[in-house]
Amino acid sequence: MKKLISLLLALTMLLSLCAFASAEEPVEIRIAVNSLGNGWPADPADDFVYQKILKDTGVSVKFDLVDNFYESMGTRMDIYDVYRIDIDHLISWGRDGLLLDLSAYKDNELADYFAWLGSTQLNAAYVDGTLYGLPQLYDGSKSQLNVTVRQDWLDALDLKMPETVQDLYDVAYAFTFNDPDKNGIDDTLGLSAQKNGGGEVYLFDTIMGSFDTVLGNFVIIRDGKVTNTLLQPGMVAGLEWCKKFVDARIIDNDALGTTGSDKFIAGQVGMIGVTWPGLWKQYGQDKIHNVNPNAVTSFFTTLKSEVGAEEAMYTGDLSTTNTIIAVNADISPEKLEAFFKYINYIIGEEGGNLVFYGIEGDHWVRDENGNIKMTENATAANYISTYQIFSRKELEYLQAKFPEAKQVFEATTGANRIWTYNSLVIEPEDIYLEDLASYARQQLLDFIYGDRELSQEEYDKFIQELNDIYQFDVYMQAAAEQLAAYGLVD
Amino acid sequence: MTQASLRQTVNRQPLSRRIMRALQRYWPLYVMIIPGILYFLVYKYIPMLGIHIAFKNFSLKKGISGSPWLWNDGKEWYYWFERFFKSPANTQIIENTLVISIGKLIVQMIPPLIFALAISETCFKRYARVIQTVSYLPHFLSWVIIFGICTTMLGESQGVVNNMIKRAGGEAIPFLSNKAYIRGVLIGTSLWQGLGWSSIVFLAAIAGIDTSMYEAATIDGCGRFRKIWYITLPNLGRIFVVLLITKVGRILDGGFEQVYIFLNDRVASKAQIIDTWVYTQGLGKQQYSLTTAVGLLKSVLSCGLVLGTNALARKWDSSLW
């Protein structure tokens, strides 16, 4: 009898322990990502954001870095609950049944997120009419495209900041041949660019923007109709200008393959088109001044349009091209609920400030106007960008984070852009879109570099080739239909 | 019992017994071979089973075995092969692959041979050893680093070579961003990287040549070049053919890592190879079946090339098998 009682007692204690454990056990969500923020803590105990989220929501959010992300994920998908993926994978995994259809949660658990996100980029997450993902916020300030210029060189040669393509040519010419650094050696060049990761020919986009187009296959909307940058009427005139720059040898051809940033820092190039104003941040400025203490930088965002268009230069994809958050189709209801909790936490004010800036009082404080100001300790929070899975209100964030580059952020956010819609278009199965885009870029460069005769007639022939060989017209037809289905055109 | 009759007795034993005996006798050797066998089994043979997705409509959800065969999915069995060959870019990339590969094959065979001869003929052995060691070093550099060196040396606007050309009054040459030069750059950097390393085999073969032949030739009045021509080169013939056969098997590779790093839109029409195309088309768009089909096609063709080269080599009695 005694034995039985003690056994029962032990069992009760054990059971209560289990009950206690399950009540306190946080729900863990594992998110697979292909990169982590700088200085990512190996141990969650050192991760103050993790701890705070755990404390406030009871959700344990674990980010896992997956090397060779897409190659590895094929065999590892069920380990993770949530994935940060690109639009191509959203389409293929969604069609494959690997991703959860989120449509049912749109007006309930995710209602606040959709209100926070706004409308247009949401379209990017639909595949064949099903909502498979949650896009990032893209509020137009995301890319800080600008041309950074050596103001001291302009002053030395008594030039002013370029406003038109002709000005740009004149300044680049003077920077190349009039010895702007006054060292008596012919060692400078007019215009360079950061190499763009997406394969766009960014070097010439400064010029092409004035002709309301971009070098490459980009779907755009003009006068309420779907069209393509390749079909823009200003294309040939723009290419002629690019050719003029190349023929005059005032442009850095190396920038087609490698970045020209180092040359700008080293004082070898006077103007550089950049996508992210790293040169404007303190460390960028320090680098420039290490080489030349008297260097002064300024910038411009757009040149005057040569074709009377409202948009003047630069591209931005209206839908998010890079990353979308998608959920494993087999996620358990508890985990899904926990994930929604996490989403609603980080789009709220407290959670938002936590994942954007860190802990109040430690990494940031509010100044007398109520604006967020980073403290000296802020670098300890560099890694937390990983937690910003839906990106951020960029302008607000960058101004707080890098006050020294404030003027660039403000100007670039306000700059006119050529909005593109490629990521909303799913190409018909028998079209080789990569080959089409690659061929278009190659031929456009052939026009510029004189490998192909540059005339309207020859350009029309090129478009005909695209239609005949690569089914460009079929692709554009599909684009028109799909964008109309989203309600973006009639 | 004589040695011969003993061997006969042993041979008369059943095979299983003989294997057991061999295992007992040489067990340390057999144990040592296990990791090697496991390696090839796990990394080379088991993955080969996955090749059949070249004939399937592969889906990550359904897995390798669960994905439907193409003919059950309303498609022809050669659908993925056809997709590769129907690509408008395919003639261009096949041409690029072959030209770049054959160029590399030549520079990886002939210059290392000449280099090995030069090293072996050098009188100052210490000097030869230093040169040899220095020549190995590029082999250990990754292509990313070599590309960095190339942009510093060959860049159009600030490259060392172009700066010299410009100072001498010439015009800068766009080595890295001009179609006319890119294949040369790819083949040239491949030569620079592989010269020393590829010469090792030849040096080893030269060291293995019977020195009495050279002594006899000296007595017969042969000079240095005659000795190379009549003794060294004929003795290297066999190793040369063996190397050629193994390298021909990789002729459709073209060197993905190198080409991918050097590739830009300006030169793509002369430098895009099968592997880089597969990467952008296949893995970029998750067409695993397509990439497997192209890989399989490459393997079959390469295998044919190896067999063909070997059959050709047999005519001169220097085949690999």
Side-chain angles (χ1 to χ4, degrees):
Chain A
M1 190 62 193
K2 241 184 191 173
K3 258 187 188 166
L4 189 72
I5 289 175
S6 57
L7 194 72
L8 273 174
L9 262 173
L11 205 68
T12 333
M13 276 171 73
L14 202 70
L15 276 175
S16 62
L17 199 69
C18 287
F20 180 73
S22 71
E24 287 297 302
E25 190 71 34
V27 185
E28 184 182 277
I29 324 169
R30 297 186 68 179
I31 304 181
V33 291
N34 58 359
S35 66
L36 291 170
N38 282 341
W40 182 260
D43 185 358
D46 304 329
D47 183 346
F48 57 85
V49 178
Y50 172 84
Q51 299 297 347
K52 180 96 168 56
I53 293 172
L54 185 64
K55 199 177 119 215
D56 289 357
T57 64
V59 182
S60 154
V61 187
K62 293 241 170 91
F63 285 90
D64 284 316
L65 175 69
V66 181
D67 286 328
N68 297 326
F69 192 79
Y70 295 114
E71 286 89 332
S72 313
M73 284 306 281
T75 51
R76 300 171 64 181
M77 291 195 69
D78 18 341
I79 305 174
Y80 305 104
D81 307 305
V82 175
Y83 322 107
R84 192 171 73 193
I85 56 178
D86 63 17
I87 197 143
D88 284 338
H89 285 81
L90 185 88
I91 296 168
S92 72
W93 291 2
R95 284 181 174 167
D96 224 359
L98 295 161
L99 304 178
L100 187 71
D101 176 5
L102 295 163
S103 316
Y105 310 99
K106 196 177 161 213
D107 298 325
N108 307 306
E109 287 89 340
L110 291 172
D112 288 347
Y113 160 77
F114 285 115
W116 177 83
L117 181 75
S119 58
T120 313
Q121 59 256 46
L122 178 61
N123 293 327
Y126 279 95
V127 180
D128 308 330
T130 310
L131 182 67
Y132 279 123
L134 306 172
Q136 291 191 335
L137 184 69
Y138 192 89
D139 66 352
S141 54
K142 183 126 178 146
S143 44
Q144 290 80 30
L145 303 146
N146 71 85
V147 177
T148 300
V149 184
R150 280 289 290 268
Q151 182 65 45
D152 53 325
W153 286 15
L154 284 178
D155 296 343
L157 298 174
D158 201 17
L159 296 162
K160 59 180 188 15
M161 190 62 92
E163 286 174 4
T164 63
V165 182
Q166 181 66 51
D167 293 349
L168 185 73
Y169 180 86
D170 293 341
V171 170
Y173 196 90
F175 277 3
T176 309
F177 298 111
N178 296 355
D179 194 19
D181 55 0
K182 304 289 176 203
N183 66 352
I185 306 170
D186 174 20
D187 60 351
T188 53
L189 201 56
L191 178 65
S192 184
Q194 268 180 341
K195 193 194 175 192
N196 222 1
E200 296 98 308
V201 191
Y202 184 60
L203 181 63
F204 297 102
D205 286 353
T206 317
I207 302 160
M208 297 308 282
S210 295
F211 296 88
D212 196 21
T213 186
V214 189
L215 285 190
N217 164 43
F218 293 98
V219 177
I220 52 174
I221 296 177
R222 288 289 177 277
D223 304 327
K225 287 199 175 62
V226 175
T227 181
N228 194 294
T229 46
L230 292 169
L231 302 172
Q232 282 291 81
M235 198 64 169
V236 175
L239 289 172
E240 275 165 359
W241 264 106
C242 294
K243 188 166 167 37
K244 216 174 144 187
F245 274 76
V246 167
D247 292 346
R249 293 183 162 263
I250 56 178
I251 206 162
D252 178 18
N253 297 323
D254 292 342
L256 293 173
T258 50
T259 177
S261 313
D262 293 345
K263 289 177 193 157
F264 186 83
I265 290 168
Q268 296 163 337
V269 164
M271 294 186 280
I272 181 166
V274 291
T275 49
W276 163 252
L279 295 170
W280 284 89
K281 289 197 229 162
Q282 200 50 54
Y283 71 81
Q285 289 287 311
D286 289 348
K287 273 191 194 169
I288 294 170
H289 290 132
N290 275 344
V291 178
N292 185 344
N294 301 323
V296 183
T297 45
S298 57
F299 71 97
F300 67 91
T301 55
T302 54
L303 293 174
K304 201 168 151 275
S305 182
E306 301 285 323
V307 287
E310 193 195 336
E311 283 90 348
M313 71 184 262
Y314 288 145
T315 60
D317 202 291
L318 198 55
S319 46
T320 50
T321 46
N322 278 326
T323 53
I324 289 182
I325 298 296
V327 181
N328 187 334
D330 300 326
I331 194 171
S332 68
E334 305 85 68
K335 287 193 173 214
L336 187 63
E337 195 196 333
F339 181 55
F340 290 149
K341 225 190 233 179
Y342 170 60
I343 292 176
N344 287 318
Y345 180 71
I346 59 166
I347 59 169
E349 196 181 346
E350 192 190 351
N353 285 340
L354 173 69
V355 297
F356 294 154
Y357 308 114
I359 307 271
E360 184 171 6
D362 192 2
H363 305 108
W364 58 279
V365 288
R366 284 196 189 275
D367 64 12
E368 57 277 15
N369 304 326
N371 292 329
I372 286 171
K373 207 168 150 269
M374 307 309 289
T375 63
E376 283 187 357
N377 202 14
T379 46
N382 273 349
Y383 73 91
I384 64 176
S385 58
T386 310
Y387 283 95
Q388 307 159 7
I389 55 172
F390 299 122
S391 191
R392 54 210 175 194
K393 306 263 183 193
E394 197 77 9
L395 185 60
E396 198 182 292
Y397 170 81
L398 291 171
Q399 286 181 346
K401 200 93 182 172
F402 309 107
E404 66 273 20
K406 192 174 178 213
Q407 43 160 341
V408 185
F409 296 135
E410 275 173 355
T412 52
T413 305
N416 284 324
R417 287 156 203 272
I418 297 171
W419 291 107
T420 63
Y421 296 82
N422 290 40
S423 58
L424 292 188
V425 181
I426 300 175
E427 73 271 22
E429 200 183 311
D430 52 347
I431 285 185
Y432 296 79
L433 189 61
E434 291 293 329
D435 285 357
L436 189 163
S438 168
Y439 181 75
R441 291 197 302 267
Q442 289 169 28
Q443 291 299 311
L444 291 171
L445 286 174
D446 279 358
F447 282 122
I448 293 173
Y449 282 89
D451 292 342
R452 189 166 179 170
E453 188 205 331
L454 181 53
S455 65
Q456 188 63 50
E457 197 190 350
E458 193 65 22
Y459 189 82
D460 293 343
K461 234 191 244 173
F462 155 67
I463 294 294
Q464 197 54 45
E465 282 163 22
L466 281 182
N467 290 340
D468 294 347
I469 308 171
Y470 295 90
Q471 306 187 64
F472 178 57
D473 44 355
V474 179
Y475 173 70
M476 285 313 296
Q477 184 64 37
E481 284 163 14
Q482 290 175 33
L483 295 187
Y486 287 131
L488 293 169
V489 285
D490 299 330
Chain B
M1 209 186 275
T2 62
Q3 200 74 7
S5 62
L6 182 73
R7 200 172 297 134
Q8 270 180 357
T9 332
V10 171
N11 280 350
R12 240 178 283 138
Q13 287 175 342
L15 183 70
S16 58
R17 186 87 185 272
R18 267 186 284 155
I19 290 174
M20 280 311 290
R21 270 182 76 100
L23 281 180
Q24 259 173 10
R25 196 155 168 198
Y26 303 111
W27 69 267
L29 292 179
Y30 286 103
V31 169
M32 275 194 272
I33 208 176
I34 289 176
I37 291 178
L38 278 180
Y39 170 80
F40 279 101
L41 210 62
V42 172
Y43 289 105
K44 305 283 171 185
Y45 281 85
I46 295 177
M48 248 192 259
L49 299 174
I51 283 176
H52 71 272
I53 65 168
F55 304 100
K56 281 187 159 180
N57 203 356
F58 179 68
S59 140
L60 270 176
K61 177 92 177 169
K62 292 170 190 149
I64 291 179
S65 52
S67 299
W69 293 100
L70 282 172
W71 48 90
N72 292 337
D73 219 30
K75 291 188 170 99
E76 300 292 341
W77 65 269
Y78 49 80
Y79 176 76
W80 295 116
F81 298 93
E82 189 186 31
R83 189 152 170 84
F84 171 64
F85 281 110
K86 270 197 173 168
S87 154
N90 92 72
T91 42
Q92 196 184 54
I93 60 171
I94 290 173
E95 182 202 306
N96 292 342
T97 310
L98 287 177
V99 171
I100 292 169
S101 288
I102 292 172
K104 281 189 186 176
L105 179 76
I106 293 168
V107 301
Q108 281 169 6
M109 296 295 296
I110 310 289
L113 177 66
I114 298 170
F115 183 66
L117 288 173
I119 290 276
S120 70
E121 294 295 326
T122 307
C123 302
F124 302 108
K125 286 299 160 204
R126 189 168 290 182
Y127 174 72
R129 226 166 283 148
V130 170
I131 294 288
Q132 219 180 317
T133 312
V134 170
S135 72
Y136 295 162
L137 289 178
H139 174 78
F140 298 101
L141 298 180
S142 75
W143 281 111
V144 181
I145 294 172
I146 296 179
F147 180 66
I149 296 173
C150 272
T151 49
T152 314
M153 296 298 293
L154 302 175
E156 190 182 346
S157 58
Q158 298 293 342
V160 176
V161 174
N162 273 319
N163 276 345
M164 289 199 294
I165 293 174
K166 278 188 272 184
R167 299 254 159 96
E171 284 211 333
I173 300 169
F175 293 107
L176 300 173
S177 58
N178 191 315
K179 291 179 206 175
Y181 300 104
I182 189 67
R183 286 174 178 172
V185 169
L186 289 172
I187 294 168
T189 47
S190 165
L191 167 69
W192 180 77
Q193 193 209 28
L195 181 71
W197 194 252
S198 311
S199 69
I200 293 179
V201 184
F202 293 120
L203 280 167
I206 292 171
I209 298 172
D210 190 351
T211 46
S212 59
M213 283 199 267
Y214 290 106
E215 285 158 12
T218 315
I219 293 165
D220 289 345
C222 279
R224 180 164 284 201
F225 285 102
R226 276 175 181 264
K227 275 193 257 178
I228 291 177
W229 186 254
Y230 288 110
I231 299 171
T232 316
L233 285 179
N235 274 296
L236 288 179
R238 197 176 148 75
I239 192 80
F240 188 85
V241 172
V242 169
L243 278 180
L244 186 70
I245 293 172
T246 53
K247 283 197 195 292
V248 161
R250 306 195 58 188
I251 209 160
L252 291 171
D253 280 353
F256 170 78
E257 198 193 343
Q258 179 199 16
V259 176
Y260 193 69
I261 289 168
F262 278 82
L263 209 57
N264 61 59
D265 289 326
R266 182 84 186 93
V267 299
S269 61
K270 294 284 170 198
Q272 177 92 278
I273 58 170
I274 297 177
D275 286 357
T276 52
W277 183 86
V278 163
Y279 182 79
T280 47
Q281 272 285 337
L283 290 178
K285 297 245 169 211
Q286 307 84 59
Q287 303 203 21
Y288 298 104
S289 286
L290 173 69
T291 49
T292 311
V294 177
L296 179 62
L297 191 72
K298 270 177 57 190
S299 305
V300 171
L301 290 176
S302 302
C303 191
L305 281 170
V306 169
L307 292 175
T309 323
N310 193 56
L312 209 65
R314 201 173 290 153
K315 286 197 164 171
W316 291 285
D317 205 24
S318 52
S319 62
L320 195 54
W321 63 89

